[in-house]
Amino acid sequence: MKRIKTALISVYNKDGIDAIVHLLDKQGVTIYSTGGTFDYIKSLGIEAKTIESLTGYPSILGGRVKTLHPKVFGGILFRRESPKDIKQVVDFQLPQIDLVIVDLYPFEETVKQTSNEAEIIEKIDIGGISLIRAAAKNFNDVLCVASSYLYPNLLEVLTAQKAQSTLVDRKYFAAHAFAVSSHYDTSIFNYFNKNQDIPALKISENQSNALRYGENPHQNAAFYGNLEEVFEKLNGKEISYNNTLDIDAAIHLIQDFSEPTVAIIKHNNACGIASCKSLSTAWDKALFSDPLSAFGGIICVNRKIDEETAQKMNSLFFEILIAPDFDEKALEIVCSKKNRIVLKLKDIKLPKTNIRSALNGFLCQEKDVVKYEEYDIQMVTTQKPDRRELEDLIFADKVVKHTKSNAIVLVKNNMMIASGMGQTSRVDALKQAIEKAKSFGFDLKGAVMASDAFFPFPDCIEIANEVGITAVIQPGGSLKDQDSTDACNRFNMSMIHTGKRHFKH
């Protein structure tokens, strides 16, 4: 147990620091402070000493240099059990600083609020981060509090132990200190690296949300990040690991559609999706795509949900509903089931990269966000798609981009009528889609087909023709592209090459 005799306080966020300062003062602790923090402490009627009175130097360079001085860092870093250190402390008249409380300039928040580089750069804390590292390094003797979120923890320790700290306390706060400093440095690096392309991956998230379990009940799991930036949770149970993946898949899919659209997601894939002028009709068509798989699924829409649509949705058991907004009555209806998760989607730009662990490292890639307008379109067949077919082809291509490979998607009248996904053979994916469409009574005559990758052989074209599919969209790129093109010409089918493959694993 070590008694705190001298404290150094330099904080940006002062909310909650008053109780700590009062307690330190009551315990007879000498307080050194800087700038605005010193003024705040004095406003509380508590005695404090300026850092300048310790160093003999004023704050200079517009406040950039305040605490960077041997008397400050010597007072923090000297080892209390080292005779050599103690002699130097006496020789150079260094203080013994036992407690350091810092709250850093809000660099991340500033980056979010402005693009003014000069303003952003001034929010890179120098003295504060140095104080944190020094105090945390010397945890054997010094208690380091590195952020305002730790004020309550400090207050609890000081109250219970009357301004004393144990080694366990100091190591706990030191661990948090290095978490704060590493996160801060990561944010600064990522800001500077936006235009530098330094090949280094730096990820840091302070917020951790424990999930009910992982993919299976015997697996522990957590989400690192701030879900409240993405949506507002209006109703329902806690979100699980699988829920999170489905929500992510649903949002990325629905963002590709501008017309009123309803998507029903199961295991990260669309089991039903349709676009229509009316959201209520879009719901009818999306559900009709595969009413069996829709049970227990995730619903995502890109328009405000009205009462009529909510009434229809409420007749189905589903886990999650995601929408940009809800009518008052609609919200009451969809929240009538206490466990049903209802999310109000916020206007947010999601990250442009995908990161996943692989082997003993990480894979990082740009997300597949390319759109039809950006394709190198080639109408490779004699027959050209008519207006309705072209609309369906574009719709099908959007869906297949978000479907597990190997993938085939069949569409008719802006409605997915079936898909084959996750197959080791493209032929099997097509056969799966056809069998599913037929099982729900869909007429495939006049339907269109999208493939996530090229056809190495004309077999898929031949099978598609047999069931009445009239148009195809695929990336092309096979050495035998001409074989599939020739097959389309024989069957009077149209085919588009996009030049963009959409593998998804």
Side-chain angles (χ1 to χ4, degrees), residues 131-155:
L131 290 171
I132 288 171
R133 292 179 65 83
K137 177 177 180 176
N138 201 22
F139 65 84
N140 273 317
D141 300 302
V142 180
L143 181 62
C144 177
V145 180
S147 176
S148 58
Y149 79 83
L150 291 164
Y151 292 172
N153 306 63
L154 173 63
L155 186 61

PDB file of all heavy atoms in Angstrom, residues 131-155:
ATOM      1  N   LEU A 131       2.887  11.870 -20.181  1.00  0.00           N
ATOM      2  CA  LEU A 131       2.618  11.665 -18.760  1.00  0.00           C
ATOM      3  C   LEU A 131       2.034  10.278 -18.509  1.00  0.00           C
ATOM      4  O   LEU A 131       2.397   9.586 -17.546  1.00  0.00           O
ATOM      5  CB  LEU A 131       1.663  12.740 -18.244  1.00  0.00           C
ATOM      6  CG  LEU A 131       2.197  14.166 -18.143  1.00  0.00           C
ATOM      7  CD1 LEU A 131       1.056  15.138 -17.837  1.00  0.00           C
ATOM      8  CD2 LEU A 131       3.277  14.275 -17.066  1.00  0.00           C
ATOM      9  N   ILE A 132       1.127   9.874 -19.369  1.00  0.00           N
ATOM     10  CA  ILE A 132       0.488   8.563 -19.224  1.00  0.00           C
ATOM     11  C   ILE A 132       1.525   7.455 -19.315  1.00  0.00           C
ATOM     12  O   ILE A 132       1.570   6.543 -18.470  1.00  0.00           O
ATOM     13  CB  ILE A 132      -0.607   8.378 -20.299  1.00  0.00           C
ATOM     14  CG1 ILE A 132      -1.819   9.253 -19.978  1.00  0.00           C
ATOM     15  CG2 ILE A 132      -1.018   6.907 -20.405  1.00  0.00           C
ATOM     16  CD1 ILE A 132      -2.850   9.288 -21.083  1.00  0.00           C
ATOM     17  N   ARG A 133       2.364   7.503 -20.321  1.00  0.00           N
ATOM     18  CA  ARG A 133       3.351   6.441 -20.515  1.00  0.00           C
ATOM     19  C   ARG A 133       4.346   6.391 -19.353  1.00  0.00           C
ATOM     20  O   ARG A 133       4.719   5.312 -18.875  1.00  0.00           O
ATOM     21  CB  ARG A 133       4.078   6.631 -21.845  1.00  0.00           C
ATOM     22  CG  ARG A 133       3.196   6.421 -23.058  1.00  0.00           C
ATOM     23  CD  ARG A 133       3.970   6.636 -24.353  1.00  0.00           C
ATOM     24  NE  ARG A 133       5.004   5.631 -24.516  1.00  0.00           N
ATOM     25  CZ  ARG A 133       4.807   4.403 -25.019  1.00  0.00           C
ATOM     26  NH1 ARG A 133       3.588   4.052 -25.413  1.00  0.00           N
ATOM     27  NH2 ARG A 133       5.798   3.549 -25.136  1.00  0.00           N
ATOM     28  N   ALA A 134       4.770   7.560 -18.893  1.00  0.00           N
ATOM     29  CA  ALA A 134       5.736   7.604 -17.791  1.00  0.00           C
ATOM     30  C   ALA A 134       5.135   7.046 -16.507  1.00  0.00           C
ATOM     31  O   ALA A 134       5.743   6.199 -15.829  1.00  0.00           O
ATOM     32  CB  ALA A 134       6.206   9.040 -17.574  1.00  0.00           C
ATOM     33  N   ALA A 135       3.925   7.502 -16.186  1.00  0.00           N
ATOM     34  CA  ALA A 135       3.297   7.065 -14.934  1.00  0.00           C
ATOM     35  C   ALA A 135       2.944   5.587 -14.975  1.00  0.00           C
ATOM     36  O   ALA A 135       3.102   4.866 -13.980  1.00  0.00           O
ATOM     37  CB  ALA A 135       2.047   7.909 -14.666  1.00  0.00           C
ATOM     38  N   ALA A 136       2.454   5.110 -16.136  1.00  0.00           N
ATOM     39  CA  ALA A 136       2.094   3.694 -16.246  1.00  0.00           C
ATOM     40  C   ALA A 136       3.332   2.803 -16.200  1.00  0.00           C
ATOM     41  O   ALA A 136       3.301   1.714 -15.629  1.00  0.00           O
ATOM     42  CB  ALA A 136       1.319   3.451 -17.532  1.00  0.00           C
ATOM     43  N   LYS A 137       4.428   3.282 -16.782  1.00  0.00           N
ATOM     44  CA  LYS A 137       5.673   2.503 -16.732  1.00  0.00           C
ATOM     45  C   LYS A 137       6.129   2.322 -15.292  1.00  0.00           C
ATOM     46  O   LYS A 137       6.592   1.240 -14.905  1.00  0.00           O
ATOM     47  CB  LYS A 137       6.764   3.201 -17.544  1.00  0.00           C
ATOM     48  CG  LYS A 137       8.113   2.483 -17.479  1.00  0.00           C
ATOM     49  CD  LYS A 137       9.165   3.145 -18.339  1.00  0.00           C
ATOM     50  CE  LYS A 137      10.486   2.391 -18.246  1.00  0.00           C
ATOM     51  NZ  LYS A 137      11.522   2.960 -19.141  1.00  0.00           N
ATOM     52  N   ASN A 138       5.960   3.346 -14.488  1.00  0.00           N
ATOM     53  CA  ASN A 138       6.414   3.272 -13.095  1.00  0.00           C
ATOM     54  C   ASN A 138       5.266   2.894 -12.158  1.00  0.00           C
ATOM     55  O   ASN A 138       5.103   3.461 -11.080  1.00  0.00           O
ATOM     56  CB  ASN A 138       7.020   4.614 -12.667  1.00  0.00           C
ATOM     57  CG  ASN A 138       7.941   4.462 -11.471  1.00  0.00           C
ATOM     58  OD1 ASN A 138       8.455   3.380 -11.192  1.00  0.00           O
ATOM     59  ND2 ASN A 138       8.142   5.552 -10.727  1.00  0.00           N
ATOM     60  N   PHE A 139       4.478   1.900 -12.574  1.00  0.00           N
ATOM     61  CA  PHE A 139       3.303   1.496 -11.796  1.00  0.00           C
ATOM     62  C   PHE A 139       3.659   0.974 -10.413  1.00  0.00           C
ATOM     63  O   PHE A 139       2.819   0.928  -9.517  1.00  0.00           O
ATOM     64  CB  PHE A 139       2.487   0.437 -12.559  1.00  0.00           C
ATOM     65  CG  PHE A 139       3.206  -0.854 -12.768  1.00  0.00           C
ATOM     66  CD1 PHE A 139       3.223  -1.837 -11.782  1.00  0.00           C
ATOM     67  CD2 PHE A 139       3.875  -1.109 -13.951  1.00  0.00           C
ATOM     68  CE1 PHE A 139       3.889  -3.037 -11.966  1.00  0.00           C
ATOM     69  CE2 PHE A 139       4.553  -2.305 -14.151  1.00  0.00           C
ATOM     70  CZ  PHE A 139       4.554  -3.267 -13.161  1.00  0.00           C
ATOM     71  N   ASN A 140       4.907   0.564 -10.219  1.00  0.00           N
ATOM     72  CA  ASN A 140       5.302   0.099  -8.888  1.00  0.00           C
ATOM     73  C   ASN A 140       5.125   1.189  -7.833  1.00  0.00           C
ATOM     74  O   ASN A 140       4.878   0.898  -6.655  1.00  0.00           O
ATOM     75  CB  ASN A 140       6.764  -0.367  -8.895  1.00  0.00           C
ATOM     76  CG  ASN A 140       6.897  -1.823  -9.310  1.00  0.00           C
ATOM     77  OD1 ASN A 140       6.127  -2.667  -8.877  1.00  0.00           O
ATOM     78  ND2 ASN A 140       7.858  -2.099 -10.175  1.00  0.00           N
ATOM     79  N   ASP A 141       5.244   2.443  -8.288  1.00  0.00           N
ATOM     80  CA  ASP A 141       5.203   3.552  -7.340  1.00  0.00           C
ATOM     81  C   ASP A 141       4.133   4.600  -7.634  1.00  0.00           C
ATOM     82  O   ASP A 141       3.783   5.383  -6.752  1.00  0.00           O
ATOM     83  CB  ASP A 141       6.568   4.260  -7.323  1.00  0.00           C
ATOM     84  CG  ASP A 141       7.703   3.335  -6.919  1.00  0.00           C
ATOM     85  OD1 ASP A 141       7.629   2.778  -5.817  1.00  0.00           O
ATOM     86  OD2 ASP A 141       8.638   3.158  -7.719  1.00  0.00           O
ATOM     87  N   VAL A 142       3.634   4.619  -8.856  1.00  0.00           N
ATOM     88  CA  VAL A 142       2.740   5.709  -9.272  1.00  0.00           C
ATOM     89  C   VAL A 142       1.418   5.147  -9.769  1.00  0.00           C
ATOM     90  O   VAL A 142       1.378   4.160 -10.504  1.00  0.00           O
ATOM     91  CB  VAL A 142       3.396   6.562 -10.385  1.00  0.00           C
ATOM     92  CG1 VAL A 142       2.468   7.698 -10.814  1.00  0.00           C
ATOM     93  CG2 VAL A 142       4.736   7.113  -9.907  1.00  0.00           C
ATOM     94  N   LEU A 143       0.329   5.803  -9.387  1.00  0.00           N
ATOM     95  CA  LEU A 143      -1.002   5.454  -9.863  1.00  0.00           C
ATOM     96  C   LEU A 143      -1.324   6.357 -11.050  1.00  0.00           C
ATOM     97  O   LEU A 143      -1.282   7.585 -10.942  1.00  0.00           O
ATOM     98  CB  LEU A 143      -2.034   5.657  -8.750  1.00  0.00           C
ATOM     99  CG  LEU A 143      -3.491   5.307  -9.062  1.00  0.00           C
ATOM    100  CD1 LEU A 143      -3.635   3.831  -9.390  1.00  0.00           C
ATOM    101  CD2 LEU A 143      -4.382   5.670  -7.876  1.00  0.00           C
ATOM    102  N   CYS A 144      -1.629   5.744 -12.195  1.00  0.00           N
ATOM    103  CA  CYS A 144      -1.886   6.495 -13.433  1.00  0.00           C
ATOM    104  C   CYS A 144      -3.335   6.335 -13.863  1.00  0.00           C
ATOM    105  O   CYS A 144      -3.807   5.219 -14.097  1.00  0.00           O
ATOM    106  CB  CYS A 144      -0.960   5.996 -14.547  1.00  0.00           C
ATOM    107  SG  CYS A 144      -1.255   6.799 -16.129  1.00  0.00           S
ATOM    108  N   VAL A 145      -4.028   7.459 -13.993  1.00  0.00           N
ATOM    109  CA  VAL A 145      -5.414   7.465 -14.470  1.00  0.00           C
ATOM    110  C   VAL A 145      -5.417   8.175 -15.816  1.00  0.00           C
ATOM    111  O   VAL A 145      -5.157   9.373 -15.894  1.00  0.00           O
ATOM    112  CB  VAL A 145      -6.356   8.179 -13.473  1.00  0.00           C
ATOM    113  CG1 VAL A 145      -7.781   8.167 -13.978  1.00  0.00           C
ATOM    114  CG2 VAL A 145      -6.256   7.517 -12.109  1.00  0.00           C
ATOM    115  N   ALA A 146      -5.713   7.420 -16.894  1.00  0.00           N
ATOM    116  CA  ALA A 146      -5.432   7.901 -18.245  1.00  0.00           C
ATOM    117  C   ALA A 146      -6.638   8.423 -19.007  1.00  0.00           C
ATOM    118  O   ALA A 146      -6.503   8.872 -20.141  1.00  0.00           O
ATOM    119  CB  ALA A 146      -4.778   6.786 -19.056  1.00  0.00           C
ATOM    120  N   SER A 147      -7.821   8.383 -18.409  1.00  0.00           N
ATOM    121  CA  SER A 147      -9.010   8.830 -19.139  1.00  0.00           C
ATOM    122  C   SER A 147     -10.142   9.117 -18.165  1.00  0.00           C
ATOM    123  O   SER A 147     -10.205   8.548 -17.071  1.00  0.00           O
ATOM    124  CB  SER A 147      -9.457   7.755 -20.136  1.00  0.00           C
ATOM    125  OG  SER A 147     -10.659   8.133 -20.782  1.00  0.00           O
ATOM    126  N   SER A 148     -11.046   9.980 -18.602  1.00  0.00           N
ATOM    127  CA  SER A 148     -12.179  10.349 -17.748  1.00  0.00           C
ATOM    128  C   SER A 148     -13.085   9.163 -17.439  1.00  0.00           C
ATOM    129  O   SER A 148     -13.794   9.169 -16.429  1.00  0.00           O
ATOM    130  CB  SER A 148     -12.985  11.475 -18.392  1.00  0.00           C
ATOM    131  OG  SER A 148     -13.461  11.085 -19.672  1.00  0.00           O
ATOM    132  N   TYR A 149     -13.082   8.126 -18.310  1.00  0.00           N
ATOM    133  CA  TYR A 149     -13.954   6.977 -18.021  1.00  0.00           C
ATOM    134  C   TYR A 149     -13.488   6.220 -16.780  1.00  0.00           C
ATOM    135  O   TYR A 149     -14.234   5.410 -16.207  1.00  0.00           O
ATOM    136  CB  TYR A 149     -14.064   6.049 -19.232  1.00  0.00           C
ATOM    137  CG  TYR A 149     -12.908   5.097 -19.463  1.00  0.00           C
ATOM    138  CD1 TYR A 149     -12.825   3.878 -18.786  1.00  0.00           C
ATOM    139  CD2 TYR A 149     -11.910   5.395 -20.382  1.00  0.00           C
ATOM    140  CE1 TYR A 149     -11.783   2.996 -19.008  1.00  0.00           C
ATOM    141  CE2 TYR A 149     -10.860   4.514 -20.622  1.00  0.00           C
ATOM    142  CZ  TYR A 149     -10.802   3.323 -19.933  1.00  0.00           C
ATOM    143  OH  TYR A 149      -9.757   2.450 -20.156  1.00  0.00           O
ATOM    144  N   LEU A 150     -12.240   6.503 -16.330  1.00  0.00           N
ATOM    145  CA  LEU A 150     -11.700   5.834 -15.141  1.00  0.00           C
ATOM    146  C   LEU A 150     -11.890   6.652 -13.868  1.00  0.00           C
ATOM    147  O   LEU A 150     -11.513   6.202 -12.784  1.00  0.00           O
ATOM    148  CB  LEU A 150     -10.211   5.546 -15.344  1.00  0.00           C
ATOM    149  CG  LEU A 150      -9.883   4.473 -16.394  1.00  0.00           C
ATOM    150  CD1 LEU A 150      -8.415   4.544 -16.782  1.00  0.00           C
ATOM    151  CD2 LEU A 150     -10.246   3.083 -15.890  1.00  0.00           C
ATOM    152  N   TYR A 151     -12.468   7.857 -13.969  1.00  0.00           N
ATOM    153  CA  TYR A 151     -12.694   8.674 -12.775  1.00  0.00           C
ATOM    154  C   TYR A 151     -13.477   7.924 -11.697  1.00  0.00           C
ATOM    155  O   TYR A 151     -13.104   7.950 -10.515  1.00  0.00           O
ATOM    156  CB  TYR A 151     -13.435   9.969 -13.127  1.00  0.00           C
ATOM    157  CG  TYR A 151     -12.660  10.983 -13.952  1.00  0.00           C
ATOM    158  CD1 TYR A 151     -13.314  12.111 -14.458  1.00  0.00           C
ATOM    159  CD2 TYR A 151     -11.304  10.838 -14.239  1.00  0.00           C
ATOM    160  CE1 TYR A 151     -12.640  13.054 -15.223  1.00  0.00           C
ATOM    161  CE2 TYR A 151     -10.623  11.777 -14.997  1.00  0.00           C
ATOM    162  CZ  TYR A 151     -11.309  12.885 -15.500  1.00  0.00           C
ATOM    163  OH  TYR A 151     -10.633  13.811 -16.254  1.00  0.00           O
ATOM    164  N   PRO A 152     -14.594   7.266 -12.051  1.00  0.00           N
ATOM    165  CA  PRO A 152     -15.357   6.547 -11.007  1.00  0.00           C
ATOM    166  C   PRO A 152     -14.533   5.463 -10.321  1.00  0.00           C
ATOM    167  O   PRO A 152     -14.638   5.266  -9.110  1.00  0.00           O
ATOM    168  CB  PRO A 152     -16.542   5.947 -11.767  1.00  0.00           C
ATOM    169  CG  PRO A 152     -16.684   6.815 -12.993  1.00  0.00           C
ATOM    170  CD  PRO A 152     -15.290   7.202 -13.366  1.00  0.00           C
ATOM    171  N   ASN A 153     -13.704   4.741 -11.104  1.00  0.00           N
ATOM    172  CA  ASN A 153     -12.856   3.693 -10.522  1.00  0.00           C
ATOM    173  C   ASN A 153     -11.849   4.288  -9.540  1.00  0.00           C
ATOM    174  O   ASN A 153     -11.611   3.743  -8.456  1.00  0.00           O
ATOM    175  CB  ASN A 153     -12.103   2.955 -11.630  1.00  0.00           C
ATOM    176  CG  ASN A 153     -13.018   2.419 -12.716  1.00  0.00           C
ATOM    177  OD1 ASN A 153     -13.679   3.190 -13.405  1.00  0.00           O
ATOM    178  ND2 ASN A 153     -13.045   1.113 -12.893  1.00  0.00           N
ATOM    179  N   LEU A 154     -11.266   5.421  -9.924  1.00  0.00           N
ATOM    180  CA  LEU A 154     -10.302   6.083  -9.041  1.00  0.00           C
ATOM    181  C   LEU A 154     -10.976   6.562  -7.765  1.00  0.00           C
ATOM    182  O   LEU A 154     -10.434   6.373  -6.661  1.00  0.00           O
ATOM    183  CB  LEU A 154      -9.659   7.269  -9.771  1.00  0.00           C
ATOM    184  CG  LEU A 154      -8.743   8.156  -8.908  1.00  0.00           C
ATOM    185  CD1 LEU A 154      -7.555   7.361  -8.404  1.00  0.00           C
ATOM    186  CD2 LEU A 154      -8.298   9.387  -9.689  1.00  0.00           C
ATOM    187  N   LEU A 155     -12.144   7.151  -7.922  1.00  0.00           N
ATOM    188  CA  LEU A 155     -12.863   7.664  -6.756  1.00  0.00           C
ATOM    189  C   LEU A 155     -13.165   6.542  -5.774  1.00  0.00           C
ATOM    190  O   LEU A 155     -13.053   6.713  -4.548  1.00  0.00           O
ATOM    191  CB  LEU A 155     -14.158   8.360  -7.197  1.00  0.00           C
ATOM    192  CG  LEU A 155     -14.950   9.066  -6.102  1.00  0.00           C
ATOM    193  CD1 LEU A 155     -14.118  10.184  -5.467  1.00  0.00           C
ATOM    194  CD2 LEU A 155     -16.257   9.626  -6.660  1.00  0.00           C
TER     195      LEU A 155
END
